[in-house]
Amino acid sequence: MESISTFDMLKIGIGPSSSHTLGPWRAAEAWIKELKDQRLFNNIISIKIHVYGSLSLTGKGHATDFAIMLGLSGQDPEYIPIENIHTIVTRIKEEKQIELNGELTLPFSSDTTIIFEKKFLPFHANGITFKAQLDSGEKIETTYYSIGGGFVIKEEQPESQKNIALFKTFPFPITTGIELLAFCKKENLSISQIVLENERSLRTNKEIDYELHRIWDTMLECMYIGCHTEGRLPGGLNVTRRAFEIHHSLKGELPYNTPQEWLETIRKTEVKFRQILKWVSCFALAVNEVNASLGRVVTAPTNGSAGVIPAVLMYYLVIENHEADFSQVKKFLLVAGEIGSIFKKGATISAAMGGCQAEIGVSSAMAAGALTELLGGSPDQVLMAAEIAMEHHLGLTCDPIGGLVQIPCIERNSMGAIKAINAAELALGSNPEDAKVPLDKVVKTMWETAKDMSSKYKETSEGGLAVGVFLSDC
């Protein structure tokens, strides 16, 4: 059993990838902590980092090397000023040295200190090994695995016993949809209320609200930045930002100065069907254009799928319910986090393990279920919506052109958001007793599909669009 909080599924970080950027960043932080705990940190005279498998094959396009350098420098992805990222990385490259955790100066060449190995380690597709030589002549090393959504583990999983103990503190321990529904019926509570009780076993009400506010504020600011930034994305594909032009055609003439004022003005715009489609797509595109340019986003449940949940939540706030406030945002995020955790426990949220069905598919399911509760759906309908959304993402491959989280990744977020809204409407108009496919079955099927999928379609850029479209075409 695995204890997964809403704040594990929804984490603030830096783009473009939760598994290839945020994961290696957190792995570097974990390694430094391990060295300090073992009282070896001050004895280091040189380091090497070996990156394996999917992390290696698409690492450059996902800024894996940037993330490692920033993590080793002691920078926090939640709080580092975005404008400092390139400054720090450039300084390391030019000076050919790094300030390890901001304390210890070591030689460092971005070309030779970080080594991209094409081979895969057996435990997981995203492996990263940190090696150090000590002043005594001893050499030490530790291997971490980035398993999706910014989660990082070691093969021996030393935290597993702690995690199980934490799980037992939950008043409603949940691993499957069936268990979740059973608790809802027994306690006569909604899914968001059940999840809130679990969160209260870890944090105070004030802490929960503070963190949820921070998550939503980051999502809203990310959409705002994406909708107000024009130009082309970095990386070499010469991809034009589209959210800016779409937003410009929709926004009207009302003035605003802040993200919240912007939200209020959108509520006063035209809401015909085509405009709604454009707004939802605009929100999703905006987030993932920010993500692709090393901006700050919320993993939901990953960076590559970060646009789906904020786009659907924004749709509810500006189209469905103009009176909605933080209480609805809170419910949405709690439900979304719980649905995501069920997929993580029963399958995967890593594209390197399951293709894009594990990212866009899961995020669409999370958003569909959360929207269904806000629209008055029962717990059964919430899970029905999540199942419908995932069912129609099964088999979706991960084949980013050039190893960049741009094509087809950015557009997929808009498609996942629209599917989520459609899935919620289908569930709300249906009797769950007539459903033929329960959520747990689709979770199992997604995992079986992931295991059967060729590695070419698992974030390696060795198949699909990644080889069907030449960089020269772009």
Side-chain angles (χ1 to χ4, degrees):
M1 288 185 179
E2 189 176 6
S3 169
I4 300 178
S5 163
T6 297
F7 304 108
D8 293 321
M9 297 305 303
L10 305 173
K11 295 190 286 289
I12 299 171
I14 300 294
S17 171
S18 53
S19 58
H20 288 57
T21 315
L22 183 58
W25 195 322
R26 292 302 189 194
E29 292 178 319
W31 185 55
I32 288 174
K33 183 179 184 303
E34 182 177 312
L35 292 171
K36 285 182 170 286
D37 289 344
Q38 296 174 353
R39 298 184 179 180
L40 297 173
F41 180 85
N42 293 322
N43 303 111
I44 297 173
I45 59 173
S46 67
I47 60 174
K48 289 277 187 184
I49 301 95
H50 294 257
V51 181
Y52 297 94
S54 175
L55 272 185
S56 173
L57 292 169
T58 60
K60 291 287 186 178
H62 289 104
T64 300
D65 49 348
F66 281 33
I68 292 169
M69 286 185 265
L70 292 164
L72 291 174
S73 299
Q75 301 296 322
D76 189 321
E78 290 196 39
Y79 298 101
I80 180 175
I82 300 300
E83 61 272 15
N84 289 359
I85 291 176
H86 285 284
T87 302
I88 294 169
V89 171
T90 300
R91 184 172 66 244
I92 292 170
K93 289 182 176 182
E94 291 178 349
E95 296 178 357
K96 293 190 180 301
Q97 63 183 26
I98 194 169
E99 295 290 328
L100 199 65
N101 204 42
E103 304 172 47
L104 180 65
T105 303
L106 296 175
F108 193 101
S109 168
S110 59
D111 295 325
T112 59
T113 303
I114 302 176
I115 302 165
F116 288 85
E117 311 274 8
K118 289 188 176 180
K119 71 175 182 178
F120 284 70
L121 298 182
F123 182 71
H124 192 279
N126 292 332
I128 179 169
T129 299
F130 294 89
K131 297 181 178 181
Q133 181 167 338
L134 307 181
D135 52 15
S136 64
E138 181 185 359
K139 295 181 178 180
I140 59 173
E141 65 177 66
T142 303
T143 298
Y144 295 90
Y145 298 91
S146 178
I147 61 172
F151 289 86
V152 175
I153 63 171
K154 294 169 70 174
E155 186 170 354
E156 60 269 28
Q157 298 185 47
E159 296 293 310
S160 60
Q161 293 303 315
K162 176 183 176 182
N163 217 17
I164 290 171
L166 184 62
F167 191 88
K168 289 180 179 177
T169 68
F170 277 8
F172 306 112
I174 297 159
T175 56
T176 66
I178 289 176
E179 292 174 349
L180 175 56
L181 288 179
F183 283 127
C184 289
K185 291 173 182 176
K186 180 181 177 182
E187 303 296 327
N188 194 29
L189 295 175
S190 67
I191 290 177
S192 62
Q193 289 171 320
I194 290 289
V195 180
L196 182 58
E197 289 304 311
N198 281 343
E199 293 296 339
R200 284 172 173 159
S201 69
L202 304 176
R203 298 171 177 84
T204 65
N205 286 327
K206 184 177 180 180
E207 289 170 337
I208 292 168
D209 285 353
Y210 175 81
E211 290 301 322
L212 289 175
H213 265 295
R214 205 160 66 92
I215 287 168
W216 169 240
D217 288 345
T218 302
M219 288 180 172
L220 181 59
E221 182 179 38
C222 186
M223 287 185 281
Y224 185 84
I225 291 171
C227 284
H228 293 83
T229 305
E230 58 184 328
R232 297 183 183 274
L233 295 173
L237 292 183
N238 207 29
V239 174
T240 301
R241 291 175 179 261
R242 283 182 286 176
F244 179 87
E245 290 297 335
I246 298 173
H247 174 255
H248 184 73
S249 71
L250 294 169
K251 68 182 181 68
E253 301 299 327
L254 292 173
Y256 54 84
N257 295 300
T258 67
Q260 185 58 41
E261 289 178 4
W262 173 61
L263 186 156
E264 295 295 339
T265 65
I266 295 172
R267 285 174 165 172
K268 299 173 184 177
T269 60
E270 192 173 30
V271 290
K272 293 179 181 178
F273 181 69
R274 287 187 65 200
Q275 278 69 32
I276 293 171
L277 285 178
K278 289 178 182 179
W279 271 121
V280 174
S281 295
C282 181
F283 299 143
L285 292 173
V287 170
N288 284 82
E289 288 172 358
V290 170
N291 178 64
S293 55
L294 276 81
R296 179 165 285 114
V297 299
V298 176
T299 64
T302 67
N303 282 33
S305 61
V308 177
I309 285 172
V312 175
L313 178 49
M314 190 70 160
Y315 157 80
Y316 176 80
L317 296 173
V318 300
I319 304 296
E320 290 291 340
N321 185 359
H322 289 190
E323 303 303 318
D325 55 21
F326 175 70
S327 63
Q328 282 83 18
V329 171
K330 180 176 180 177
K331 290 178 182 178
F332 188 100
L333 297 177
L334 290 172
V335 174
E338 187 60 37
I339 292 171
S341 75
I342 290 173
F343 277 97
K344 186 179 184 302
K345 293 166 190 171
T348 181
I349 58 170
S350 167
M353 292 296 288
C356 203
Q357 61 174 355
E359 297 202 16
I360 295 295
V362 173
S363 64
S364 187
M366 293 166 69
L371 178 62
T372 301
E373 176 162 313
L374 290 192
L375 292 176
S378 67
D380 293 273
Q381 288 175 317
V382 168
L383 297 197
M384 185 180 186
E387 183 281 322
I388 293 171
M390 171 52 76
E391 184 179 330
H392 300 289
H393 282 93
L394 288 174
L396 187 61
T397 59
C398 181
D399 48 357
I401 297 173
L404 297 164
V405 191
Q406 295 182 18
I407 306 172
C409 320
I410 295 174
E411 282 184 355
R412 281 185 178 168
N413 279 265
S414 66
M415 301 304 292
I418 296 298
K419 282 186 179 181
I421 296 169
N422 194 16
E425 291 300 331
L426 287 172
L428 288 165
S430 302
N431 183 349
E433 293 181 3
D434 295 331
K436 305 300 181 185
V437 184
L439 177 63
D440 295 332
K441 288 290 185 182
V442 87
V443 172
K444 181 179 179 181
T445 300
M446 193 267 269
W447 182 228
E448 293 298 326
T449 305
K451 290 186 289 185
D452 290 339
M453 188 181 291
S454 168
S455 63
K456 292 190 302 182
Y457 304 113
K458 296 180 180 179
E459 210 169 5
T460 60
S461 288
E462 294 183 325
L465 288 175
V467 298
V469 178
F470 298 105
L471 294 182
S472 59
D473 298 331
C474 300

